Amino acid sequence: MSQAVAPFPVVDHQRVVFPDGLALDCGAVVRPLVVAYRTYGTLNADRSNAVLVCHALTGDQYVAETHPVTGRPGWWESVVGPGRPIDTDRFFVVCANVLGGCMGSTGPREEMTDAEGRGLGRPWGTDFPLVTIRDMVRAQKRLVDHLGIARLLCVVGGSMGGMQVLEWAAEYPDAVFAAAPIATAAHHSAQNIAFHEVGRAAIHADPDWAGGRYWETGRVPAQGLSVARMVAHITYLSEQALTRKFGRRLRGASALTFLEDVFEVESYLRHQGSTFVRRFDANSYLTITRAMDYFDLAAEHGGELANAFRGTRTRFFVASFSSDWLFPTSESRALVRALNAAAANVSFVEITSDKGHDAFLLDEPDFHRALGGFLRGAAERVGV
């Protein structure tokens, strides 16, 4: 991975620009605010069938269509589409690239601006201010308001997307009829923060890091970003999934050797790393992982998670997966207990799966039926 990596292709993302910008939790203001997004399906006459999908750390707005950079299918095409659990024949689906992302929304890759919103002719890079999950949600709220949607039928997301769902329900309860936080938690654990720090340290140690100003050299910290992706990807899988897919199988090696990619699992992880650096920005990775680490919904509400939801009329569907050790079922149960303490309307399901955290992205019929049933029930309640 020492060779130069080709720069991102220029993509004309669908975007909306808010000239007045956005005030962030850290005290900074980004001006203008740009939100890149995609929509699927048709908004009905009374604008009551909108479903907001919130993406995870390395996702983006291309949830149910061919990705313009990789050429691969959308990251949740098994869930979003005609006849799918989030049925685009019935619902109007919106997905926005998060604030701090690298697929068109305001973030480290975009042109830095001054206090008046004037471009400075260089990317933000490491000068991009710290953002929080709540900042991301506030940016999405601007988009939803721009689309003329007063109340979302449902907000849905897994992992970091689930954190956004919880923030939506806490920050804008009257704008969210139903919420589906999946494979997530109300705060990031010390272990998860530790894994993120290993990835950030790998990026900082890359010889092409250049203090975060790597665009000046025409290179990217590919080695470090690749290692960060490899470490993270391990946390997305379970031991059972890795054993089933790879076991201890070798790639043709017949003797002890120090050559790389001897085991099939090594080759798989290196492939994950090498493809990732061609679609994701290192400074965005640093920005977004920090936002996840800072997230603590209870701390935002006096130290008690139930306070975030007291008096809410939002209906909740909480789902976890039995082999997910990144966001284990215990975290979902803690969330459900807090929702019960707040007298919220909540249903919970733990899906038996050996696929680990990534199960929410994969073919899991029981999960798909549960989510689809929840959405249909919510739609019937509002007459959609």
Side-chain angles (χ1 to χ4, degrees):
M1 193 75 63
S2 59
Q3 75 276 13
V5 175
F8 281 18
V10 177
V11 178
D12 186 18
H13 301 288
Q14 180 180 5
R15 312 195 302 177
V16 60
V17 179
F18 301 100
D20 57 333
L22 183 71
L24 306 178
D25 281 341
C26 70
V29 176
V30 288
R31 183 180 293 116
L33 169 68
V34 180
V35 181
Y37 68 102
R38 299 295 291 169
T39 64
Y40 309 87
T42 304
L43 189 61
N44 62 11
D46 60 1
R47 301 175 183 268
S48 61
N49 69 331
V51 175
L52 178 69
V53 173
C54 301
H55 70 74
L57 167 60
T58 60
D60 53 46
Q61 67 270 38
Y62 294 97
V63 61
E65 63 187 293
T66 300
H67 196 278
V69 174
T70 67
R72 301 184 65 183
W75 58 268
W76 227 14
E77 286 195 0
S78 63
V79 171
V80 178
R84 302 292 188 183
I86 304 178
D87 188 352
T88 51
D89 287 336
R90 186 174 191 177
F91 306 124
F92 177 66
V93 179
V94 182
C95 186
N97 186 217
V98 296
L99 178 70
C102 54
M103 289 296 286
S105 290
T106 298
R109 281 190 69 236
E110 300 301 310
E111 184 179 12
M112 185 177 180
T113 55
D114 64 15
E116 303 302 319
R118 294 183 292 258
L120 299 178
R122 49 153 288 195
W124 278 96
T126 54
D127 290 317
F128 192 71
L130 292 171
V131 300
T132 63
I133 298 294
R134 185 162 53 188
D135 291 329
M136 295 176 181
V137 167
R138 287 169 177 160
Q140 293 165 3
K141 182 63 162 60
R142 295 292 300 275
L143 170 64
V144 170
D145 290 345
H146 170 77
L147 295 174
I149 300 167
R151 185 176 68 168
L152 292 158
L153 173 65
C154 190
V155 184
V156 185
S159 194
M160 187 186 82
M163 292 178 170
Q164 295 164 62
V165 172
L166 294 175
E167 192 66 66
W168 261 99
E171 188 83 356
Y172 303 108
D174 293 336
V176 180
F177 180 77
I182 299 158
T184 194
H187 66 271
H188 227 195
S189 70
Q191 177 177 260
N192 291 352
I193 294 169
F195 278 116
H196 274 175
E197 180 56 23
V198 172
R200 290 189 291 259
I203 292 171
H204 289 146
D206 190 297
D208 290 325
W209 165 241
R213 301 175 67 92
Y214 41 85
W215 70 85
E216 295 179 343
T217 68
R219 303 176 73 87
V220 298
Q223 290 179 335
L225 186 56
S226 176
V227 170
R229 173 62 171 176
M230 290 166 67
V231 170
H233 199 73
I234 293 170
T235 72
Y236 303 155
L237 305 174
S238 68
E239 182 180 357
Q240 300 100 308
L242 285 169
T243 299
R244 183 179 64 251
K245 292 176 70 171
F246 307 109
R248 291 181 50 81
R249 290 190 298 274
L250 303 176
R251 302 186 71 243
S254 58
L256 293 177
T257 175
F258 287 107
L259 294 176
E260 295 177 342
D261 291 358
V262 172
F263 289 94
E264 287 191 4
V265 67
E266 293 177 317
S267 178
Y268 170 76
L269 289 175
R270 291 183 188 281
H271 172 73
Q272 289 291 325
S274 65
T275 56
F276 184 63
V277 303
R278 290 170 172 80
R279 70 172 181 87
F280 215 88
D281 176 64
N283 278 321
S284 278
Y285 193 86
L286 301 179
T287 297
I288 297 173
T289 56
R290 276 297 187 202
M292 290 185 72
D293 293 350
Y294 289 136
F295 182 66
D296 188 340
L297 194 58
E300 295 176 13
H301 294 85
E304 185 177 346
L305 183 56
N307 289 342
F309 307 111
R310 294 200 188 282
T312 185
R313 292 178 293 175
T314 300
R315 304 161 66 92
F316 290 85
F317 169 76
V318 179
S320 68
F321 297 87
S322 60
S323 58
D324 184 352
W325 57 276
L326 187 66
F327 290 98
T329 293
S330 58
E331 298 284 6
S332 290
R333 292 190 185 279
L335 171 60
V336 171
R337 287 195 296 271
L339 288 165
N340 285 333
N345 182 327
V346 56
S347 57
F348 166 66
V349 61
E350 180 189 37
I351 303 298
T352 300
S353 169
D354 70 354
K355 298 173 185 174
H357 182 62
D358 262 0
F360 83 91
L361 297 170
L362 303 175
D363 182 20
E364 286 289 351
D366 288 345
F367 166 59
H368 293 175
R369 283 191 289 268
L371 176 61
F374 173 74
L375 281 169
R376 288 191 298 274
E380 290 166 6
R381 293 284 294 185
V382 300
V384 171

